[in-house]
Amino acid sequence: SQQGEEDPQALSIQEGENATMNCSYKTSINNLQWYRQNSGRGLVHLILIRSNEREKHSGRLRVTLDTSKKSSSLLITASRAADTASYFCATVYGGANSKLTFGKGITLSVRP
Amino acid sequence: GAVVSQHPSRVICKSGTSVKIECRSLDFQATTMFWYRQFPKQSLMLMATSNEGSKATYEQGVEKDKFLINHASLTLSTLTVTSAHPEDSSFYICSAREPGLGSWEQYFGPGTRLTVT
């Protein structure tokens, strides 16, 4: 069963604006990861945040994790048209070969 | 980062035939690969975990006799959809995890679009 639930399911913003996407999950986790998928393509790993971390940055990306609320957010600052894609959060619980459990995804459209 | 390839990128087959999809890790050895299925505008559903040299572990509800997985080497896993039906039409994606302490990142292939007519 799917673990993560992203919110909103679809987001449309103007280029230059910030995009915030939220993810909630149900069980304990080792880490939470965000992936991006362009239409009809595979997934690209964006960022990983461990359960003992609260915030992480990578370029224009900022991820937060609140384990007490079982939620995470992905912020993309100064969005670009090229950021248009689907974004998925995925959680991992268990050992090194544990599987990723994906949320339903958020479709982000950035208007030029 | 590590690269995973899939072949073919898209395939059309007739109902009742079998189709094989290959997943290769190009610049690293992957003891574990994962096979996912994705329907339009939906999330990825894990089908099975492929382990080199041993039997795959299938998720609940996935027919192991229909979706045959072979992980014969550290760089190649194959998924064979046997006796394909139109409802098997989907986007199949594989991923591989680079082994190493604390390595959690999965590298995904570009996917294979299967259409069964």
Side-chain angles (χ1 to χ4, degrees):
Chain A
S1 61
Q2 290 180 337
Q3 161 91 301
E5 294 284 340
E6 289 92 340
D7 155 52
Q9 292 192 342
L11 180 61
S12 180
I13 59 174
Q14 198 73 36
E15 202 166 30
E17 294 179 338
N18 295 341
T20 299
M21 292 167 272
N22 302 303
C23 167
S24 60
Y25 56 92
K26 298 175 183 174
T27 66
S28 297
I29 61 171
N30 280 356
N31 63 74
L32 184 145
Q33 303 176 35
W34 285 90
Y35 286 83
R36 163 192 164 138
Q37 183 181 34
N38 286 80
S39 181
R41 302 293 187 98
L43 274 70
V44 174
H45 182 268
L46 294 178
I47 197 165
L48 179 154
I49 187 165
R50 299 182 192 279
S51 60
N52 61 353
E53 296 176 313
R54 292 295 166 259
E55 187 171 314
K56 220 169 172 181
H57 297 255
S58 176
R60 293 185 295 115
L61 306 180
R62 173 177 166 253
V63 169
T64 62
L65 179 65
D66 187 335
T67 53
S68 66
K69 295 182 180 178
K70 291 186 168 58
S71 67
S72 172
S73 68
L74 171 67
L75 168 68
I76 303 175
T77 59
S79 64
R80 306 167 182 168
D83 294 327
T84 295
S86 292
Y87 292 81
F88 295 90
C89 71
T91 54
V92 176
Y93 175 72
N97 284 329
S98 298
K99 58 188 180 184
L100 281 172
T101 303
F102 283 89
K104 293 181 180 177
I106 300 169
T107 300
L108 173 65
S109 298
V110 182
R111 303 185 301 274
Chain B
V3 178
V4 174
S5 70
Q6 271 183 254
H7 178 79
S9 57
R10 55 178 66 233
V11 57
I12 301 172
C13 71
K14 292 187 176 180
S15 191
T17 62
S18 296
V19 173
K20 180 185 284 188
I21 302 170
E22 292 185 348
C23 176
R24 294 182 186 273
S25 57
L26 297 186
D27 49 4
F28 66 100
Q29 294 184 329
T31 53
T32 303
M33 292 184 173
F34 303 88
W35 286 97
Y36 296 84
R37 181 175 182 175
Q38 185 180 32
F39 290 105
K41 300 190 185 302
Q42 293 191 25
S43 187
L44 281 74
M45 298 292 293
L46 180 65
M47 299 175 65
T49 302
S50 170
N51 301 296
E52 187 268 336
S54 64
K55 291 183 179 179
T57 302
Y58 289 82
E59 294 299 299
Q60 192 172 9
V62 177
E63 299 175 59
K64 61 180 68 176
D65 293 331
K66 180 167 184 61
F67 298 100
L68 301 178
I69 290 172
N70 187 328
H71 194 153
S73 77
L74 287 172
T75 58
L76 173 64
S77 176
T78 60
L79 168 67
T80 301
V81 183
T82 63
S83 187
H85 290 282
E87 56 265 30
D88 298 325
S89 297
S90 189
F91 193 54
Y92 292 87
I93 307 176
C94 72
S95 71
R97 183 175 282 151
E98 190 170 16
L101 188 64
S103 174
W104 296 100
E105 184 175 335
Q106 283 190 22
Y107 301 96
F108 284 80
T112 296
R113 174 78 57 196
L114 170 63
T115 303
V116 184
T117 61

